[in-house]
Amino acid sequence: GAGRGAVLVSVAFNTQGRLQRGRAPTTEQAACLVPVYQGMSLLRQVGDRMEPVLLTAAPLGAEAPVWLGRGEDGELRELQEKLGADGFWMLDLSSLPSAPSPSTLGASSACWAKLRDRRLPPPAPLDLLAPDCAALLALANGMAQWHRSVRFCAKCGGVTEAHRGGLNRRCSACGSRFRPRVDPAMIVLVTWGERCLLGRKAAWPPQRFSALSGFVEFGESLEECVVREVREESGVAVDGASVRFVASQPWLFPRSLLLGFTAEAKHERIEVDREEMEDVRWFEASYLRAALADKDAADGFNIP
């Protein structure tokens, strides 16, 4: 279980109420616009960190802004106050023929970048952002992707339009409403004594490993998903009675809710599904602690 040498990390994308979502404002107010272009965010390098570049006005041709929430505390509130605004709105520029030059947006020192790319070595821009800023940009990208995917009504084929500040979409023909939905997925740290099970995909950078994960299938419980995914990817049988929920986090790449578990294996024999994984191994807890504490001395080992 988690108490036997598991490496515990803080939960990402959890603003703990510092970003208050809820209903969009009904009156015109100054706003922080969070620009998005086809999965990329507008970022600025500041020393060895990254920070989001926010706008106060939308360029011609931009979609109507979508409400994200209001910063109640910490760095998000500071961002609002810096711009004299009262809330964050996602500004999707993806319908433009190309990404607007940062200089035309008044941000000549900025650049467009994806928050994460599994094919590239760390650190990703996501890793260099303050935690609440990373959560805000991930939310903006997830909402932009969802709005682009629901352009037409699934019932009558009519054109849909952003409704209630973009919190949902409504069909202009039949009035049907569509709300953002998330795909539940699990990630599990499987243990065998003082070892845990990690795997890697062929497209990942060398020496990148992760706990096993997968999407919940229709009609399946979370616990069943844990047992099935581990068996399919590694051949390891999990003791269903040992499955324990740890924490959850939004994983808006593009729209998942990731639920974390621990579980104990029934045996240590591995049979890798080569269509899913390039490699699956048992790692000693002592090795993982040392590798994560001193990344320069870890033979390139890294986790997403």
Side-chain angles (χ1 to χ4, degrees):
R4 297 191 309 182
V7 179
L8 301 181
V9 296
S10 59
V11 176
F13 308 121
N14 182 2
T15 65
Q16 300 205 358
R18 292 184 293 275
L19 178 64
Q20 289 290 331
R21 294 168 176 84
R23 184 168 298 179
T26 55
T27 58
E28 291 293 328
Q29 303 176 72
C32 295
L33 300 177
V34 184
V36 174
Y37 182 82
Q38 296 186 7
M40 295 187 291
S41 298
L42 195 58
L43 304 173
R44 178 187 292 118
Q45 185 91 31
V46 180
D48 60 353
R49 304 290 293 174
M50 301 286 281
E51 67 178 22
V53 175
L54 307 178
L55 308 178
T56 55
L60 291 176
E63 302 275 345
V66 169
W67 175 245
L68 298 176
R70 180 177 292 105
E72 294 292 317
D73 195 8
E75 58 215 29
L76 296 181
R77 183 168 181 173
E78 291 175 6
L79 279 175
Q80 281 178 180
E81 293 176 346
K82 183 178 179 180
L83 295 177
D86 187 33
F88 297 96
W89 297 74
M90 182 273 292
L91 183 68
D92 193 0
L93 305 176
S94 300
S95 61
L96 300 179
S98 60
S101 167
S103 60
T104 65
L105 300 175
S108 58
S109 62
C111 65
W112 290 101
K114 288 188 174 182
L115 295 180
R116 66 185 294 268
D117 189 333
R118 291 178 299 180
R119 299 167 297 178
L120 299 179
L126 190 67
D127 304 321
L128 303 178
L129 287 160
D132 283 359
C133 291
L136 178 70
L137 296 185
L139 174 60
N141 273 280
M143 285 295 283
Q145 193 278 342
W146 178 80
H147 275 274
R148 292 196 300 272
S149 72
V150 194
R151 295 292 190 186
F152 299 97
C153 177
K155 293 184 178 179
C156 75
V159 175
T160 64
E161 300 171 338
H163 183 60
R164 293 184 60 206
L167 294 179
N168 56 57
R169 294 185 72 87
R170 183 170 60 183
C171 177
S172 58
C174 72
S176 295
R177 290 191 187 183
F178 302 90
R179 295 170 176 80
R181 297 184 179 181
V182 294
D183 300 322
M186 73 81 206
I187 185 167
V188 58
L189 188 67
V190 179
T191 59
W192 175 259
E194 290 295 320
R195 294 184 292 170
C196 65
L197 190 66
L198 304 179
R200 60 170 277 106
K201 294 184 179 292
W204 292 359
Q207 286 295 91
R208 172 168 293 178
F209 283 82
S210 170
L212 302 187
S213 61
F215 288 101
V216 180
E217 293 190 350
F218 198 75
E220 183 179 51
S221 72
L222 291 166
E223 292 80 6
E224 287 177 311
C225 179
V226 168
V227 174
R228 174 185 56 77
E229 283 286 355
V230 173
R231 182 182 66 248
E232 290 179 355
E233 294 185 350
S234 70
V236 173
V238 162
D239 179 1
S242 72
V243 176
R244 295 289 183 271
F245 173 74
V246 176
S248 66
Q249 70 174 58
W251 192 248
L252 302 176
F253 303 100
R255 58 180 193 185
S256 296
L257 176 63
L258 193 59
L259 300 112
F261 294 85
T262 60
E264 297 177 3
K266 290 183 176 180
H267 59 79
E268 61 181 326
R269 184 179 64 257
I270 293 175
E271 297 178 11
V272 181
D273 179 355
R274 298 296 177 182
E275 293 185 5
E276 289 277 343
M277 310 295 290
E278 181 184 64
D279 192 10
V280 179
R281 305 181 198 170
W282 290 107
F283 287 83
E284 294 288 343
S286 57
Y287 168 81
L288 293 179
R289 291 194 191 96
L292 296 177
D294 185 4
K295 296 180 181 179
D296 293 334
D299 300 324
F301 176 89
N302 66 94
I303 60 175

